[in-house]
Amino acid sequence: MNTPRTVAYFSMEIGLRADMATYSGGLGVLAGDTVHSAADLGLPLVAVTLLHRQGYFTQRLSATGVQQTQPTQWAATAYLQELPARATVSVEGRPVQVRAWQYDVRGIRGATVPVLLLDADLAGNTPADRALTGVLYGGDARYRLAQELLLGLGGVRLLQALGYTQVNCFHLNEGHASFLTAALLEQELERHGRAAPTDEDLAAVRARCVFTTHTPVPAGHDRFPLELVRQVLGPHPLLQLPALWQDAGLFNMTFLALSLSRYANAVSQRHAEILPGMFGWTHVHAITNGVHAGRWMAPPLQALFDRHLPGWREDPSQLAGASSLPGEALFAAHQEAKQALFARVQRETHQEFQLDVLTLGFARRATSYKRADLFFTDPVRLEALSRQHGLLQLIFAGKAHPRDKEGQAMIQHIVQAGTALAPRIRVVYLADYDMTLGGLITAGVDVWLNNPQPPLEASGTSGMKAALNGVPSLSILDGWWVEGCVEGVTGWAIGTLEDHQPQPEHRAQDAAALYDKLERAILPTYYQQPAQWQTIMRACIARNGPVFNTHRMMQEYAQQAYQLSP
Ligand SMILES: *Cc1c(COP(=O)(O)O)cnc(C)c1O
């Protein structure tokens, strides 16, 4: 251990590399960008997650869009170093041993952030316990709860066993990590030789924790039946303090995190604004998400920026200089990224996409509030619009959770509606969305489409990846886009903020607003005003690149949440 670590970042998933199946989606990808920026900036961070030997799942799609799933095969320990320390967590009264594997994220100036991946696959554990660090978001509530105990309690104890004794700030990245507060509370009780917690003990725990909440969707907040928590956690002082976690008779992990953190934040300004009205939470700050510029800019653009703005990797605020890039060179670099994406389309679907056709991209977890099939609401209008203004291509991707039947039906709807629109409008749905595909698709399309049911988008980060690559967004005004949209300059809004009070879906209205922007602004500009299009591409990078990156984000966490001295 070189520099003492004072901040421990706990996350159920961390996307470190595309070929390490330790993540499922946005939360994990953001966590991966977080640790990469922390390493670049030399922040004194250590990260804790689970190993997930079976990953999330691998997605296959039939010709009609039926999702099939299989466990992910990956060389779980190929990139990792096993550490000798062990910790024990009691699960349903059985002692479960965990070990940690280490992955070092090396920053641009040579500093590292160690990532500890916890693993219960040890000979002394029962077969069922050995599988607890296997499947990300797998199993039933009991399995998930046990995983969260291993992450929270196991993580704190392993940090101790490994000598990370200077950690004075624990960052709970989403409520999955909330049981780390239970371990900290035990430490307080032990220190003072007490059996029952006092306000002083709770204050001591609170002084060491910060919490980030990532979704306003109620189902995104873990709530466990109290009886289950009693069984799996066993007798624990935390259970004597229902005011910390009680939620209509359930044990709410988000409530626990909010109760025992000295600082809590949402992931965009808009997200923080809606929380009081939705959940009654006040005092939740906002730190808007970002993406790691070096990880998400496509290679041809990286080469261009290395020539024109050589400091951008260390200081993404220099991307503001993109406004003076030669438009033709930027467009050419983009076409190269587009070609790389189309090569993948060809390889997987045997469809020949054309480089000079306006191409829209959409890749999200397939779940109903994200409305991936909104585009197909009015096929008659789409057909007419394309006949008048030009051809369109669309590329979709995204997995549905194996238990999310609506999400799976949405994928089928897209595939089938897409088939019906060919050949004027060509649609492909690429299987097994992961970080490699995420990079290809956000850089290689011409317009990024995002149309969730507002106000349920906490932030969204794919549009930020697109912007960094000179790709404008066509998006509902929600999440980060409320901050990033300059109409006609960095992209286009679907509807207005006023439309978006939490009320029944206005699907048809949102679809019509989407078509209006395509018809009046996007198609005519793309096909008839190439110089104007290049100006938009430059503006995406110059205006949004300097802001929506994880360097800026981590500097805000360092100052406001971790309170590290600069
Ligand atoms: C960027 C990314 C996400 C997150 O995208 P959102 O727009 O925040 O939903 C999810 N999965 C993968 C593979 C990604 O690359």
Side-chain angles (χ1 to χ4, degrees), residues 23-27 29-30 33 289 291 296 363-365 370 433-439 441-442 448 450 457 459-465 480:
Y23 69 97
S24 82
L27 184 71
V29 174
L30 177 78
D33 285 2
N289 282 165
V291 296
W296 292 106
R364 316 288 319 268
R365 180 160 56 88
K370 300 201 185 192
Y433 183 43
D434 67 358
M435 290 200 288
T436 303
L437 183 52
I441 193 169
T442 50
W448 190 255
N450 187 30
E457 178 90 319
S459 167
T461 53
S462 303
M464 301 175 184
K465 298 173 193 166
W480 86 281

Side-chain angles (χ1 to χ4, degrees), residues 37 52 85 94 143 145 260-261 312 339 359 477 493 529 554 560 562:
S37 279
H52 306 301
R94 295 183 309 279
Y143 184 83
L145 178 57
L260 288 181
S261 295
W312 71 276
Q339 200 155 18
T359 304
L477 272 179
Q529 297 176 274
M554 286 313 285
Q560 297 172 36
Y562 309 156

Side-chain angles (χ1 to χ4, degrees), residues 19-23 50-57 71-78 80 82 99-101 117-123 129-136 143 147:
D19 58 355
M20 290 178 66
T22 56
Y23 69 97
L50 301 188
L51 180 57
H52 306 301
R53 282 177 186 270
Q54 278 80 50
Y56 183 50
F57 65 85
T72 304
Q73 306 289 331
W74 69 288
T77 54
L80 308 176
E82 186 187 355
R99 70 176 145 191
W101 298 80
L117 300 103
L118 310 191
D119 178 21
D121 189 11
L122 287 166
D129 291 340
R130 294 179 71 154
L132 285 176
T133 48
V135 186
L136 175 58
Y143 184 83
Q147 286 190 322

Side-chain angles (χ1 to χ4, degrees), residues 270 369 371 451-457 476-478 499-503 506 510:
R270 178 67 178 162
Y369 84 86
R371 303 192 300 187
N451 45 43
Q453 168 68 44
L456 299 181
E457 178 90 319
I476 291 276
L477 272 179
D478 201 10
D499 300 341
H500 291 164
Q501 301 320 313
Q503 50 183 263
H506 4 6
D510 287 345

Side-chain angles (χ1 to χ4, degrees), residues 23 32 37 43 182 193 195 211 253 285 296 383 426 470 488 565:
Y23 69 97
S37 279
L43 297 180
F211 170 54
M253 295 294 282
H285 303 261
W296 292 106
E383 182 79 35
R426 298 171 72 191
S565 39

Side-chain angles (χ1 to χ4, degrees), residues 354 356-359 385-387 389-393 423-426 523 526-527:
Q354 289 169 255
D356 57 355
V357 171
L358 178 71
T359 304
L385 183 156
S386 163
R387 209 165 279 288
H389 295 281
L391 301 175
L392 271 172
Q393 296 170 151
R424 285 211 67 85
I425 300 177
R426 298 171 72 191
L523 281 157
Y526 186 81
Y527 283 121

